[in-house]
Amino acid sequence: MRYALISDVHANLPALEAVLGNIDSRTDVDAIYHLGDLVGYAPWPDETVDLIRARGIPGVAGNYDSTTATGYLHCGCRYEDPRQEELSHLSYEWTRTRVSTETKRFLAGLPFRIDLRPLGGHVAGPRLSLIHGNPVLNTVYWTEDRPDRFCLQMAALLEAKAGDTIAFGHTHKPWHREIEGIHLVNTGSVGRPKDGDWRAGYAVVEIDDVVTVEYVRVEYDLERAARAIRDSDLPDDFAGYLERGGMPAAR
Ligand SMILES: [Fe+2]
């Protein structure tokens, strides 16, 4: 089975359209799942959810989805400085107050976790577990530099065994590690990459006797996204952020 995994679209409709177009153009993908954070930071939260629903793409709730759905105090995002914190609150307020009731309802219905059996439930394992950020809390960042001990603790929470795969997003930086036979796959971000590459990113995970991970980057209409952000009440900073692939602005 080959799964296309898309995460952290963050209301960037042009990026989502390009990624789905890219997935559609290949014939080797058996299923598509999203790993949460459909909304926030860009002006198309309803349109993004509409497209995900129209395509019937199942997935899990990210921190932005569950906080928007519940009207929580903040989006559960991490900030590196006071300016980022201020921007993050502006984005959350914008999103929370603008999304339709229909969108909120859809976000509220997303599960925290999805378990798949790529070879079928009639044989034991392997398993593919989909979460947004972390098996217990979507505000914890599972970064590539986490020690093996941390990764194995997380894997144990999901009862993962050798041969199993855990896929997630949330950090917006793609990475793949294998620890004691367990594959950890961060799919990167469709609509708000933070690794310096502005192109939309997704992962294709193939599970057979072995696990193979392919990272794909897709060019999209960045100008359309940046213009729409600048034309909206969202902070203009978010347009520059997309253009720089999440890198800090030159001073
Ligand atoms: Fe995110």
Side-chain angles (χ1 to χ4, degrees):
M1 282 290 279
R2 234 185 242 113
Y3 300 92
L5 303 178
I6 61 177
S7 191
D8 297 271
V9 177
H10 282 299
N12 187 340
L13 186 67
L16 176 62
E17 287 171 345
V19 160
L20 292 179
N22 186 274
I23 295 170
D24 291 343
S25 72
R26 50 193 292 171
T27 52
D28 61 345
V29 167
D30 297 300
I32 311 174
Y33 281 85
H34 77 80
L35 304 185
D37 271 7
L38 295 173
V39 302
Y41 299 110
W44 293 283
D46 286 335
E47 293 83 349
T48 295
V49 166
D50 285 350
L51 182 53
I52 291 286
R53 294 179 72 177
R55 291 287 306 250
I57 298 170
V60 297
N63 50 290
Y64 228 109
D65 309 315
S66 56
T67 53
T68 299
T70 59
Y72 191 57
L73 290 173
H74 55 75
C75 62
C77 315
R78 186 176 63 182
Y79 350 97
E80 263 116 47
D81 53 60
R83 173 70 181 148
Q84 251 193 36
E85 180 171 358
E86 188 192 333
L87 292 175
S88 167
H89 288 314
L90 289 171
S91 162
Y92 181 57
E93 264 318 291
W94 191 98
T95 302
R96 201 177 58 81
T97 52
R98 281 206 183 43
V99 291
S100 69
T101 310
E102 204 49 33
T103 291
K104 270 192 193 171
R105 247 184 232 147
F106 177 81
L107 297 176
L110 293 172
F112 185 80
R113 160 188 178 181
I114 293 177
D115 283 340
L116 301 167
R117 285 287 187 88
L119 303 188
H122 51 281
V123 289
R127 193 171 67 187
L128 169 61
S129 293
L130 310 177
I131 50 176
H132 175 65
N134 174 286
V136 274
L137 202 57
N138 272 338
T139 50
V140 176
Y141 285 74
W142 194 346
T143 49
E144 188 173 10
D145 58 2
R146 291 279 196 178
D148 285 6
R149 195 167 42 86
F150 175 89
C151 296
L152 289 170
Q153 271 171 7
M154 295 301 111
L157 288 165
L158 294 168
E159 296 172 325
K161 301 184 294 294
D164 290 347
T165 303
I166 305 169
F168 46 95
H170 189 48
T171 69
H172 300 207
K173 289 181 182 175
W175 58 270
H176 173 209
R177 281 171 68 187
E178 183 185 347
I179 304 173
E180 295 187 6
I182 302 168
H183 288 264
L184 310 172
V185 181
N186 190 313
T187 65
S189 168
V190 169
R192 197 170 152 85
K194 294 186 183 175
D195 60 355
D197 182 346
W198 64 270
R199 295 172 302 168
Y202 73 96
V204 176
V205 177
E206 184 187 356
I207 299 180
D208 206 333
D209 294 333
V210 290
V211 175
T212 320
V213 182
E214 176 194 349
Y215 286 106
V216 186
R217 297 304 278 257
V218 185
E219 292 193 2
Y220 71 95
D221 195 342
L222 173 66
E223 220 183 287
R224 180 180 162 213
R227 204 183 325 115
I229 291 169
R230 292 192 171 106
D231 287 348
S232 76
D233 296 335
L234 283 163
D236 288 355
D237 303 56
F238 296 158
Y241 196 89
L242 293 187
E243 289 160 351
R244 298 187 306 274
M247 290 291 120
R251 285 169 197 257

